[in-house]
Amino acid sequence: MNQAPAPNFVPEFIIESPGHGTQAQRATRRRGMETHRKWIKNWLRKLPQGNADWNNDFPSTAEDIDRIRKRLTLSHLESRGQMDWVTLLDTYAACANQFDGRELQLYSMIMVATCHVAHNNGLPRDMMVEAMGKCITGGTDTLRSKRFALPKCIQIGDELAKVLGVRAYELPLRVNSYFTFGQHFTGECFPLLREEITAAFRPSAHLPSEVLRIPNLVFDLCGGKLRKLKRVWQPVH
């Protein structure tokens, strides 16, 4: 499977400034961090806990990886590289009913990511939001939350891959709450995640799961539209 290199997407997101505050505020902040740590630990318990978990659930073979990649990137539509952004997003939104469960979760993340890229490459914001709303349920606040969650989900995946290897990019297909986890994640959570993930189980079997990294899937979906472009991945207000 020959894959063109993906653009250098840099996930960025809003990080709240902690400020100085009083002693009481700092104590509250420490308690809040411990709450975040417990929440992260609980989420990490949902990850596969051994080789049996990694090998028995979908995807478990290179063929599984390639099959879901092709479905998620509309590889059967050779014309997708020539589509304008509106047509591409409308075409992708129309595929929502082809996915369910955790596949639908990853599909939704790709849709939001592609909307980011389209906006960064000239698609007006209102058209981006309209396209996203065609396959992402919820009102304006939900769409905004998911737009801000997406870059964090990419960086969460990259942090997990440092410990789990590239099979970390399978996790949106293995953990129901992956996108929701990103919605509630803050910049302060990353140091906690790095500390807690060190104990996670790294699967022994290698699969070409790097193709499931969201920027790689978006690059593939766009069918060459981004071949010469490098854009900063950032949330849209």
Side-chain angles (χ1 to χ4, degrees):
M1 180 172 20
N2 295 323
Q3 293 292 314
N8 183 27
F9 290 126
V10 181
E12 295 184 350
F13 45 90
I14 293 177
I15 301 176
E16 297 82 356
S17 175
H20 298 289
T22 64
Q23 279 191 324
Q25 288 173 326
R26 287 194 292 270
T28 300
R29 185 179 180 78
R30 284 194 295 273
R31 289 195 296 271
M33 294 299 286
E34 288 309 306
T35 299
H36 283 319
R37 186 183 298 276
K38 291 178 182 177
W39 171 63
I40 291 169
K41 283 183 175 180
N42 287 336
W43 186 81
L44 291 174
R45 293 190 184 104
K46 300 178 183 179
L47 272 56
Q49 299 298 308
N51 280 322
D53 289 344
W54 281 100
N55 296 337
N56 293 337
D57 293 331
F58 178 86
S60 58
T61 67
E63 290 74 20
D64 287 343
I65 297 289
D66 192 38
R67 188 159 51 248
I68 188 62
R69 178 192 65 81
K70 288 179 177 178
R71 289 181 59 219
L72 287 166
T73 59
L74 308 185
S75 63
H76 62 288
L77 293 178
E78 295 183 1
S79 62
R80 66 191 188 280
Q82 285 71 54
M83 293 178 182
D84 59 55
W85 287 113
V86 172
T87 302
L88 178 63
L89 293 174
D90 283 349
T91 301
Y92 201 59
C95 297
N97 60 3
Q98 299 178 20
F99 302 93
D100 56 21
R102 290 187 290 268
E103 287 186 5
L104 180 60
Q105 172 177 243
L106 182 52
Y107 160 85
S108 298
M109 295 167 77
I110 297 167
M111 181 63 178
V112 174
T114 307
C115 286
H116 270 284
V117 173
H119 179 74
N120 287 342
N121 284 278
L123 185 72
R125 180 184 177 280
D126 59 340
M127 297 178 74
M128 174 201 70
V129 173
E130 180 183 356
M132 196 181 304
K134 291 179 179 179
C135 64
I136 306 293
T137 58
T140 302
D141 289 345
T142 299
L143 293 179
R144 183 177 185 276
S145 176
K146 289 186 180 296
R147 294 203 309 273
F148 275 83
L150 191 279
K152 291 183 285 183
C153 287
I154 294 174
Q155 189 165 351
I156 289 167
D158 290 342
E159 292 293 341
L160 295 172
K162 293 175 183 178
V163 175
L164 303 179
V166 296
R167 294 197 66 182
Y169 298 121
E170 301 171 22
L171 290 175
L173 294 168
R174 294 177 175 276
V175 180
N176 288 329
S177 58
Y178 198 105
F179 208 173
T180 303
F181 186 62
Q183 284 180 261
H184 298 285
F185 216 78
T186 69
E188 294 175 337
C189 293
F190 279 102
L192 302 178
L193 178 67
R194 294 181 190 111
E195 291 174 11
E196 298 300 332
I197 193 60
T198 56
F201 182 86
R202 182 185 179 109
S204 301
H206 177 77
L207 292 178
S209 308
E210 64 276 4
V211 300
L212 297 180
R213 184 173 182 261
I214 292 170
N216 293 349
L217 290 167
V218 173
F219 184 75
D220 201 353
L221 172 63
C222 291
K225 289 169 69 68
L226 304 177
R227 188 172 302 279
K228 296 181 179 179
L229 294 176
K230 290 186 177 181
R231 295 291 188 185
V232 174
W233 199 294
Q234 58 188 8
V236 179
H237 295 270

